[in-house]
C-alpha cells in the first residue's frame, strides 16, 4: 500500500479523563468493537490503589501493566486505530502530557455526576497548546447526574472550547431512557445490563414523529422536543474543519459500563478524527507524506527485571516509512542506529514489525541512548518540537545516603530523569541535584528504583518552591543580572537552560512586576505555551 493510503488509514489518539470517570471502561468497549479483545474485563485498570498492597508492589504492578497496554492497535470502520494509554494516577500526569504530544486527537471522558474535574482542566490545557481535536463523551448517564445543559456550559467555561451536542439524553439516572441522535435522528433506547457489542437503534422520523411518544412516553417526548429546539437554536452545527483545528468539540452522552452510546462515539471518531498531520520541528514542518522517515521518542519504559538494564523507547512515526534493520540518524547524538527487533502492540501483544508508518508507535529496544524528545531521521538534521517539560509542583534536593555509592546515584538519577520519571535540575556551586515531580508517588518510585536497580540510597530534602520558570528576555543584560542576583534560586535544567525556582506564587508575581524585560514561562517551550 502506498504511503498516502497508509497515512489516510491511521487514527492515533488517547482517551483522557479524571481518574474514575470511565477511561478504562470506554477503552475496553472500543477494543471489543475493534475485535482486539473478546471478553469484558480484559483491560486492566492502571490505577494505583493505595492500601491494597504495599505501594511499591503496586508501582511495579502498574509499570508491568502500563508497558503492555501502552499502545493498543485495532481495526474499525476501515481504519487502523492506535490508542495510546495514559496513566490513571495524578502523580504521573507528566507522562500523560507527553503522551498527548504523540496523538492526533483525543476522546475526553466526563463523569456526568462530577462534571469537569481538576485533572481534566490540566489535560485540556495541554490539548489546547497543540490545538488537539477533542470528542467529548459524557459518561454514567445511568447515574443521577447533573443537568446536561449545565454540563455543556461547564465544559465551555472550564475547558475554553465550544461544544456541539451530537446526541441528547432522554432522562437521567433512574429516568434515563436512551439517547436521541441529532444527526441520524435515530433513537437508541437504554437497556441496562446489555453489554454485548451489538445494539440496534430505532429509526424515527425526527422528534416530531408520533412514534416517539409511544416509545418514551408523552412527557419525556415533549421535553426532548423542547430541548432539541433549544439546542438547534443555541449551538452551531458541527463544522468538521473547526473540530480538526481544536475549536469545537462534538459531545456524546452514554454509559460506557452499559455499552450504551459507545458505538456512536467510535463511529463519529472514525468519521471525523484526523489522520496523522504535519509536525513542527526546529527547521519547519514535516509532512507525514514526506518519503524520508522521521519520528520522536515520547516515552521510555525501563525493564522490570533489574538484572536487565535495557529499556523500551516508544517512538511515534511522523513521516515516511520506518523499516527494521535499517540505519537511522539519532540526531542529538549524531549517531547511526539500527533496530533488529522493533515491536508493535497489536491487540496488546508485542509483535516484531518489519515496517511502520506515520501515526504508528513502535517500541525500540534501548540500552540507554534515548531521552524523551529525541528525534530519529533518515539522515536529516532536525528536532521535533512540541514535547515541552512542564513545571513540576514539588521540588526536593537529593541527599546521598551512602557516600560509597555516589557514582551509582548519579547514574541512576540521570537515567531515571532521561526516562522522564521526573525532572532533574542542578545548582552550582556544589553540583546540587534537585528533582522536580508532579506528585509524591514519583519520589517513592525514584527512591525505590535507585535502590533496587542501581544499588544507591538517597533521601529527599524538601525545598520551598512553587514553580520552575524558564525565562526569555528582550534585554540580555537584564536577564544576566537577574541570574546573578538570584543565584540562590537559579538552577539548570537537563539541557543547561537557566531556570528560576520561584519560592511562592507571590514572589513569582513580584519578580514578574520587577523585571518587565523578562518573561517567566512554566513550560520549557514558549512559542505555543499557554501561561498559567
Ligand atoms: P478510569 O479508568 O477513568 O479511572 O475509570 P474506570 O473505567 O476504571 O471506571 C471507574 C468506575 O466507574 C468503575 O467502577 C466503573 O465500573 C465505573 N463506570 C464506568 N462507566 C460507568 C457507567 O457508565 N455507569 C456507571 N454506573 N459506572 C460506570 P469501580 O467500582 O471503581 O470499578 P470496578 O470494580 O467496576 O472495576
Amino acid at each position: 500500500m502506498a504511503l498516502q493510503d497508509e497515512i489516510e488509514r491511521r487514527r492515533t489518539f488517547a482517551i483522557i479523563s479524571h481518574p474514575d470517570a470511565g477511561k478504562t471502561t470506554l477503552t475496553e468497549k472500543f477494543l471489543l468493537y475493534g475485535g482486539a479483545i473478546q471478553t469484558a474485563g480484559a483491560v486492566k485498570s492502571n490505577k494505583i490503589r493505595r492500601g491494597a498492597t504495599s505501594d511499591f508492589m503496586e508501582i511495579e504492578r502498574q509499570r508491568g501493566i502500563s508497558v503492555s497496554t501502552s499502545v493498543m492497535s485495532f481495526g474499525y470502520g476501515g481504519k487502523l486505530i492506535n490508542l495510546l494509554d495514559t496513566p490513571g494516577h495524578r502523580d504521573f500526569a507528566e507522562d500523560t502530557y507527553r503522551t498527548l504530544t504523540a496523538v492526533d486527537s483525543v476522546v475526553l471522558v466526563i463523569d456526568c455526576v462530577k462534571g469537569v474535574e481538576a485533572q481534566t482542566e490540566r489535560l485540556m490545557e495541554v490539548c489546547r497548546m497543540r490545538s488537539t481535536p477533542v470528542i467529548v463523551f459524557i459518561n454514567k448517564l445511568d447515574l443521577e447526574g447533573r443537568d446536561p445543559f449545565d454540563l455543556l456550559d461547564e465544559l465551555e467555561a472550564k475547558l475554553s472550547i465550544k461544544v456541539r451536542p451530537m446526541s441528547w439524553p432522554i432522562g437521567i439516572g433512574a429516568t434515563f431512557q436512551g439517547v436521541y441522535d441529532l444527526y441520524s435522528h435515530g433513537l437508541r433506547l437504554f437497556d441496562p445490563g446489555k453489554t454485548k457489542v451489538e445494539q440496534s437503534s430505532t429509526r424515527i422520523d425526527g422528534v416530531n414523529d408520533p412514534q416517539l411518544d409511544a416509545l418514551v412516553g408523552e412527557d419525556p417526548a415533549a421535553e426532548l422536543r423542547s430541548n432539541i429546539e433549544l439546542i438547534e437554536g443555541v449551538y452551531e452545527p458541527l463544522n468538521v474543519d473547526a473540530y480538526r483545528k481544536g475549536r469545537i468539540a462534538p459531545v456524546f452522552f452514554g454509559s460506557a459500563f452499559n455499552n450504551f452510546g459507545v458505538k456512536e462515539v467510535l463511529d463519529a471518531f472514525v468519521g471525523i478524527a484526523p489522520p496523522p498531520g504535519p509536525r513542527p520541528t526546529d527547521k519547519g514542518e514535516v509532512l507525514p507524506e514526506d518519503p524520508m522517515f522521521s519520528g520522536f521518542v515520547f516515552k521510555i519504559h525501563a525493564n522490570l527485571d533489574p538484572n536487565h538494564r535495557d529499556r523500551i523507547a516508544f517512538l511515534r512515526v511522523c513521516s515516511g516509512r520506518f523499516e527494521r534493520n535499517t540505519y537511522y540518524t539519532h540526531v542529538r547524538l549524531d549517531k547511526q542506529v539500527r533496530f533488529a527487533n522493533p515491536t508493535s502492540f497489536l491487540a496488546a501483544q508485542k509483535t516484531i514489525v518489519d515496517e511502520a508508518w506515520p501515526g504508528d508507535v513502535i517500541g525500540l529496544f534501548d540500552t540507554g541512548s534515548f531521552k524523551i524528545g529525541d528525534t530519529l531521521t533518515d539522515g536529516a538534521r532536525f528536532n521535533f518540537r512540541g514535547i515541552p517539560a512542564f513545571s513540576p509542583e514539588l521540588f526536593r534536593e537529593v541527599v546521598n545516603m551512602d557516600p560509597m555509592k555516589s557514582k551509582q546515584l548519579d547514574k541512576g538519577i540521570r537515567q531515571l530523569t532521561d526516562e522522564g520519571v521526573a525532572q532533574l535540575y542542578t545548582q552550582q556551586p556544589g553540583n546540587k541535584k534537585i528533582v522536580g515531580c508532579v506528585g509524591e508517588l514519583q519520589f517513592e518510585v525514584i527512591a525505590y528504583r535507585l535502590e533496587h536497580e542501581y544499588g544507591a540510597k538517597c533521601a529527599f530534602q524538601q525545598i520551598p518552591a512553587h514553580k520552575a520558570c524558564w525565562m526569555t528576555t528582550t534585554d540580555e543584560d537584564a536577564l544576566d543580572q537577574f541570574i546573578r542576583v538570584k543565584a540562590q534560586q537559579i538552577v539548570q535544567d537537563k539541557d543547561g537552560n537557566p531556570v528560576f525556582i520561584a519560592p511562592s506564587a507571590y514572589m513569582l508575581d513580584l519578580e514578574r512586576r520587577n523585571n518587565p524585560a523578562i518573561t517567566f514561562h512554566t513550560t520549557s517551550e514558549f512559542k505555543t505555551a499557554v501561561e498559567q
Side-chain angles (χ1 to χ4, degrees), residues 463-531:
I463 55 170
H466 162 65
K467 282 259 152 67
C469 299
W470 287 264
M471 295 168 283
T472 51
T473 186
T474 48
D475 176 353
E476 288 300 335
D477 291 342
L479 181 59
D480 284 349
Q481 172 154 359
F482 180 81
I483 290 175
R484 256 196 325 276
V485 174
K486 296 282 166 192
Q488 297 264 321
Q489 284 140 26
I490 299 290
V491 294
Q492 264 83 43
D493 74 3
K494 65 176 170 38
D495 301 317
N497 300 310
V499 175
F500 171 56
I501 303 280
S504 65
Y506 171 79
M507 287 302 288
L508 176 56
D509 195 41
L510 190 72
E511 299 303 353
R512 278 192 164 127
R513 274 185 278 126
N514 288 347
N515 299 280
I518 304 174
T519 315
F520 297 87
H521 309 270
T522 53
T523 68
S524 66
E525 272 190 16
F526 324 120
K527 274 197 183 139
T528 51
V530 177
E531 286 306 305

Side-chain angles (χ1 to χ4, degrees), residues 17-25 47 139-140 142-143 255-257:
S17 76
H18 190 90
D20 273 345
K23 179 171 72 74
T24 312
T25 314
K47 274 179 290 189
N139 190 27
K140 305 196 185 180
D142 57 315
L143 300 180
S255 166
F257 182 75

Side-chain angles (χ1 to χ4, degrees), residues 279-282 296 375 383-388 525-528:
R279 294 252 151 191
T281 77
D282 55 0
F296 68 89
T375 298
N383 285 291
F384 283 98
R385 285 182 49 89
I387 311 136
E525 272 190 16
F526 324 120
K527 274 197 183 139
T528 51

Side-chain angles (χ1 to χ4, degrees), residues 5-63:
D5 296 331
E6 295 287 358
I7 296 167
E8 190 36 53
R9 221 157 63 91
R10 277 167 173 75
R11 298 290 181 275
T12 301
F13 82 116
I15 302 180
I16 55 173
S17 76
H18 190 90
D20 273 345
K23 179 171 72 74
T24 312
T25 314
L26 187 65
T27 301
E28 180 167 286
K29 297 298 186 280
F30 278 4
L31 295 181
L32 282 168
Y33 279 110
I37 55 171
Q38 266 66 49
T39 50
V43 178
K44 300 278 180 304
S45 167
N46 65 8
K47 274 179 290 189
I48 293 177
R49 296 186 198 276
R50 270 178 180 268
T53 48
S54 117
D55 282 348
F56 297 131
M57 283 180 65
E58 276 298 286
I59 291 162
E60 291 295 281
R61 189 187 66 82
Q62 200 249 335
R63 288 173 58 211

Side-chain angles (χ1 to χ4, degrees), residues 228-360:
I228 300 298
E229 202 182 321
L230 192 62
I231 291 163
E232 299 298 359
V234 172
Y235 296 98
E236 287 170 26
L238 182 75
N239 174 327
V240 174
D241 193 44
Y243 152 73
R244 286 190 169 188
K245 291 191 168 116
R247 294 201 202 117
I248 187 163
V251 180
F252 292 84
F253 291 87
S255 166
F257 182 75
N258 291 292
N259 196 14
F260 191 81
V262 172
K263 188 170 180 296
E264 282 79 353
V265 184
L266 193 53
D267 286 340
F269 172 81
V270 291
I272 62 174
R279 294 252 151 191
T281 77
D282 55 0
K283 304 263 167 65
E285 276 194 338
V286 167
L287 301 175
E289 47 276 8
D290 186 334
M292 303 280 276
F293 158 77
S294 68
F296 68 89
V297 172
F298 65 94
K299 178 178 179 137
I300 294 174
H301 216 290
N303 196 322
L304 293 177
D305 179 351
N307 296 322
H308 297 275
R309 213 48 86 53
D310 53 311
R311 314 188 287 185
I312 297 175
F314 289 82
L315 179 119
R316 146 99 197 200
V317 179
C318 296
S319 69
R321 181 168 76 132
F322 171 91
E323 284 176 274
R324 183 154 87 103
N325 274 328
T326 303
Y327 277 103
Y328 291 118
T329 304
H330 185 311
V331 178
R332 180 175 55 86
L333 299 181
D334 192 15
K335 206 171 109 184
Q336 293 298 103
V337 286
R338 180 167 79 125
F339 302 93
N341 299 310
T343 48
S344 79
F345 304 85
L346 201 66
Q349 296 216 314
K350 279 203 289 179
T351 36
I352 291 179
V353 285
D354 288 319
E355 56 179 20
W357 303 90
D360 285 344

